[in-house]
Amino acid sequence: MPYQNKTVRVKLRDHSEAASLFGPQDVFLKQIEQNSTAKIVSRGGEILLVGSEEELQVLEQLFVALLGLIRQGITLTERDVSYAYGLAQAGKIDELQELFQEEVGVTLKGQVVRVKSLGQRHYITAIKKSDIVFGVGPAGTGKTFLAVVLAVMALKAQQVNKIVLTRPAVEAGENLGFLPGDLQEKVDPYLRPLYDSLYMMLGMEQVGRMMERGLIEVAPLAYMRGRTLEDAFVILDEAQNTTPEQMKMFLTRLGFGSKMVITGDVTQVDLPRGKRSGLKEAEKILNNVSEIRFVHLGQDDVVRHTLVQKIIDAYEQIDNEASS
């Protein structure tokens, strides 16, 4: 019996819904069409889908779910559409609505910060429930930004008394003395990503005032030695560039009422040749400590430009070929 295409119609409330669903210059539609052989046409007050039964089931679920978000006033991005398509193909599209209902915080400009993937939701839940959480994954997965958002929200809710942000300045070597400027000017370039996240949440002026009052501290990892950090939300960024000794030093700074989030990407270690990564060692040593959570984010959790995900895929493929 010859193969026959089927037809499915998805109803629209008005023409503006089609514009929001297909994106500017139909960029979302083109994105979907690249991954599907079905024919997709907007006609009058409906979307007409023509293709195999299996494909139409995925596309219908996808469009209905995306329309649900649009009707909540959510502006879609290329990344949102791509991730939703993946969920539909995996039969998990129902979880998309739950993701967008979860608000992590609000930026200075009033933009709601939401989790964008199941991996991010797992990460957020782990941070809320555990005192020490490791967020491990590639660039663009929101590890550091989400941790900073939660830190700011915890400070605003008076759940902690201060925020401490730190990272190893390995690019400058152990000795910062040869660099021009005072100490703050020497270390600031290596802490810039942490400042950027703070500025997005609080604004430059407020961050400056809170640093003067000691409510926010941004410092290189070496400054943590010998301290006990109590009632603080502490974030260690770029943890793959710590040595095992530095990691142990940092983790043992934990005081009462504090929470620690350690983020890093084990594929981007900048330590000198022969030096072991403290992040890699920590997972081997602490994996059986039930109170410590390790959350692994992957390429599906990348929330930057869609090309970032493709770049990560390409490099992972080369790494896998080299190790096989």
Side-chain angles (χ1 to χ4, degrees), residues 8-61:
V8 168
R9 290 175 169 81
V10 179
K11 297 292 183 182
L12 299 171
R13 291 179 179 172
D14 50 49
H15 291 293
S16 66
E17 283 196 343
S20 298
L21 190 60
F22 290 164
Q25 288 80 52
D26 289 342
V27 64
F28 302 159
L29 174 60
K30 293 172 185 174
Q31 187 180 353
I32 294 168
E33 287 178 329
Q34 284 177 357
N35 296 288
S36 173
T37 59
K39 185 178 179 181
I40 306 169
V41 180
S42 176
R43 182 180 296 166
E46 63 183 14
I47 299 170
L48 195 66
L49 309 173
V50 182
S52 69
E53 186 173 357
E54 186 178 354
E55 267 195 307
L56 295 190
Q57 184 177 7
V58 170
L59 289 177
E60 183 180 17
Q61 290 177 350

Side-chain angles (χ1 to χ4, degrees), residues 95 98-99 102 115 117-126:
E95 301 191 46
E98 296 177 23
L99 285 178
E102 187 168 350
V115 293
S117 71
L118 300 180
Q120 285 192 350
R121 184 170 66 179
H122 181 44
Y123 178 54
I124 291 293
T125 301

Side-chain angles (χ1 to χ4, degrees), residues 199 203-213 216:
Y199 293 157
M204 191 176 297
E205 289 185 9
Q206 188 173 359
V207 169
R209 290 194 299 269
M210 294 176 83
M211 290 181 72
E212 289 176 2
R213 294 167 56 196
I216 295 177

Side-chain angles (χ1 to χ4, degrees), residues 208-266:
R209 290 194 299 269
M210 294 176 83
M211 290 181 72
E212 289 176 2
R213 294 167 56 196
L215 297 176
I216 295 177
E217 178 183 348
V218 185
L221 181 59
Y223 282 37
M224 300 299 110
R225 191 174 300 278
R227 302 175 60 185
T228 300
L229 302 168
E230 297 191 342
D231 297 313
F233 198 118
V234 191
I235 300 171
L236 169 59
D237 191 32
E238 297 289 337
Q240 75 275 6
N241 290 327
T242 62
T243 64
E245 294 78 16
Q246 287 174 324
M247 179 62 77
K248 179 183 177 183
M249 178 275 291
F250 173 77
L251 292 173
T252 52
R253 301 308 94 201
L254 182 70
F256 292 108
S258 286
K259 189 179 289 287
M260 283 184 167
V261 180
I262 300 95
T263 68
D265 178 0
V266 292

